[in-house]
Amino acid sequence: MGKDSNDCTHGDLPSDLKLKAFIEHGTPAEIDISVIKKKAFLKIHQQERKSKQRRVLMYVASTAATLLLLIGIRYIVTENVISSLPHTEVMELVASVYDEEVEVPIGDRMTLMLADGTKIIANSRTIIRYPKRFEGDYREVYVKGEAYFDVAHDASIRFWFILITLV
C-alpha cells in the first residue's frame, strides 16, 4: 500500500523543514466544487444585472437629455420670434384674434363663463381675451396674469393654453 504523507520522517535540514510545514499546513481540507460554482454563477448574474441596469439608465438619461434639448431649442426660437416683434405689434396681433377682452381691476377677482362651458377665475390685474364663440378644431384663450381654468370637456375640440412672457 501507499504511504500517507503524515507517515514520512523529516530531517533537520531547512528544505526538510519547509517540506514538513507545507505538508502539515498546505493541504486544504475537502473542497466542495459545487459551492464554488454557485458563487461564481451568482457573481456573473449580478454583473449582468448591473450591466443591464446601467444600459436602461443610460437610455432614460439620453432620452431625457434629448427632450430637454428639444424643449430648450423650441423655447429659444419662440423667445427670439416674440422678442423680435415690437411690444405694440405683439399686442395688436393678439388682440385681433379675440372678440372679447376683460381686465380684472386691482384687488378684485372675477369669474367668467365661456360659450363652451369653460369656467375661468381670474386674479387681480389679469387680462383675458377670448372669442364669443369657439370655431374650428381648437379653443384658444389669451391670458396675461393669473387665472384658474375649469375646462369644459369636449374631446373633439382641443383647448390650448398659450403662454406669452413679455418683459
Side-chain angles (χ1 to χ4, degrees):
M1 289 212 195
K3 275 185 150 184
D4 189 7
S5 62
N6 291 330
D7 295 338
C8 293
T9 58
H10 305 285
D12 293 334
L13 294 174
S15 59
D16 287 340
L17 293 175
K18 285 182 186 177
L19 181 60
K20 181 180 178 184
F22 175 76
I23 290 173
E24 289 176 356
H25 303 293
T27 55
E30 291 185 29
I31 298 174
D32 187 6
I33 299 295
S34 65
V35 172
I36 294 173
K37 286 181 182 178
K38 285 179 186 177
K39 286 182 181 179
F41 175 75
L42 287 174
K43 184 80 168 179
I44 291 170
H45 183 68
Q46 286 174 347
Q47 288 175 345
E48 287 175 351
R49 189 172 61 232
K50 285 181 183 178
S51 176
K52 184 177 179 181
Q53 288 173 343
R54 279 191 208 110
R55 283 194 305 267
V56 169
L57 182 62
M58 290 302 291
Y59 175 76
V60 169
S62 64
T63 303
T66 302
L67 287 174
L68 285 174
L69 179 66
L70 291 174
I71 290 169
I73 290 171
R74 183 163 189 249
Y75 175 77
I76 290 169
V77 169
T78 304
E79 283 294 313
N80 287 340
V81 168
I82 290 175
S83 63
S84 67
L85 295 172
H87 179 65
T88 54
E89 197 174 316
V90 171
M91 297 311 282
E92 288 173 8
L93 180 71
V94 170
S96 67
V97 176
Y98 304 100
D99 300 319
E100 299 292 327
E101 178 177 312
V102 175
E103 185 171 349
V104 182
I106 295 173
D108 286 352
R109 183 181 283 173
M110 187 178 291
T111 301
L112 299 170
M113 187 66 78
L114 302 183
D116 67 341
T118 296
K119 180 180 173 182
I120 302 174
I121 301 172
N123 280 336
S124 174
R125 298 172 48 181
T126 297
I127 298 171
I128 300 176
R129 293 188 183 112
Y130 58 95
K132 288 181 183 175
R133 285 180 304 143
F134 292 105
E135 297 174 358
D137 294 338
Y138 60 92
R139 301 172 281 177
E140 184 177 301
V141 174
Y142 169 84
V143 176
K144 181 180 178 185
E146 298 177 346
Y148 168 80
F149 283 78
D150 185 9
V151 178
H153 177 72
D154 187 348
S156 65
I157 303 174
R158 296 180 181 157
F159 196 96
W160 289 96
F161 292 98
I162 298 178
L163 301 173
I164 300 176
T165 306
L166 300 173
V167 180

